[in-house]
């Protein structure tokens, strides 16, 4: 059996060579044994997009961001795939999530209203300004977005402030 670093190198090289069929086949074989390998899942989704299997890729990428809501690459790939499928509204939401995680200002004309607050929350948290992070996360949460990221930003801020009771209550209310 091939080791993981060699597999990843082979998958990336095959994708660069335009052999998306091989990437798909090899990734599916690997995932039959190691189904939780998110990086291989992401490479497989990229190959599926190139092969015209956007529906499979969308399902795979939605699963990836639900398992790891901080997977920036999966959000951005999902946004691009949805754009290609013609679902611009959903593409904007996922692109906004990916941009917020990177701390990149959202495109004001092409993102949901809560995206700017979410971006400010992640930036504030990264710079150690936990109070601002919590305030901005609460602002994003007040828009009731269909994304776990504002809740995650608020949870991190509560934990950084040492407010474990508030974090526990928010988690219990949000992740049922």
């Amino acid at each position: 059996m091939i080791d993981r670093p060699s597999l990843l190198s082979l998958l990336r090289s095959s994708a660069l060579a335009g052999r998306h069929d091989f990437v798909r086949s090899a990734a599916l074989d690997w995932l039959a044994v190691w189904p939780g390998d998110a990086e291989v899942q992401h490479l497989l989704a990229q190959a599926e997009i190139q092969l015209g299997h956007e529906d499979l890729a969308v399902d795979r990428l939605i699963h990836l961001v639900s398992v790891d809501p901080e997977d920036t690459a999966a959000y951005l790939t999902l946004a691009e795939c949805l754009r290609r499928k013609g679902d611009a509204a959903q593409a904007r939401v996922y692109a906004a999530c990916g941009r917020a995680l990177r701390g990149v200002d959202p495109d004001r004309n092409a993102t949901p209203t809560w995206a700017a607050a979410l971006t400010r929350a992640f930036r504030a948290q990264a710079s150690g300004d936990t109070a601002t992070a919590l305030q901005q996360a609460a602002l994003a949460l007040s828009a009731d977005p269909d994304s776990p990221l504002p809740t995650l930003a608020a949870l991190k801020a509560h934990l950084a402030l040492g407010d474990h009771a508030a974090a526990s209550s928010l988690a219990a209310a949000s992740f049922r």
Side-chain angles (χ1 to χ4, degrees):
M1 181 173 219
I2 189 170
D3 65 358
R4 187 172 185 276
S6 297
L7 173 78
L8 292 173
S9 178
L10 181 63
L11 294 176
R12 288 186 185 106
S13 297
S14 298
L16 286 173
R19 291 300 314 269
H20 305 290
D21 56 331
F22 177 81
V23 173
R24 185 169 192 272
S25 177
L28 286 170
D29 284 348
W30 179 266
L31 292 169
V33 178
W34 304 103
D37 192 327
E39 191 169 359
V40 174
Q41 290 274 3
H42 189 243
L43 291 167
L44 173 56
Q46 290 173 320
E48 289 170 336
I49 292 167
Q50 294 302 315
L51 292 168
H53 303 299
E54 285 92 358
D55 290 338
L56 291 173
V58 165
D59 291 345
R60 188 172 311 284
L61 291 163
I62 287 174
H63 174 74
L64 283 175
V65 298
S66 70
V67 170
D68 180 4
E70 293 181 296
D71 187 340
T72 305
Y75 280 111
L76 296 174
T77 303
L78 179 55
E80 180 57 33
C81 186
L82 288 166
R83 244 188 308 281
R84 288 174 67 154
K85 285 183 51 128
D87 190 349
Q90 278 298 102
R92 284 192 294 272
V93 170
Y94 288 109
C97 291
R99 292 174 64 91
L101 285 167
R102 286 190 172 168
V104 176
D105 285 324
D107 178 353
R108 292 178 192 201
N109 298 324
T111 57
T113 56
W114 51 267
L118 182 61
T119 301
R120 289 189 299 270
F122 279 115
R123 272 197 203 139
Q125 188 70 34
S127 69
D129 186 357
T130 309
T132 299
L134 184 57
Q135 175 193 33
Q136 292 300 310
L139 188 60
L141 272 171
S142 70
D144 195 25
D146 188 23
S147 170
L149 282 180
T151 302
L152 183 62
L155 283 171
K156 285 183 167 193
H158 281 302
L159 291 173
L161 290 169
D163 191 350
H164 299 282
S168 180
S169 294
L170 180 60
S174 300
F175 297 114
R176 289 180 193 194

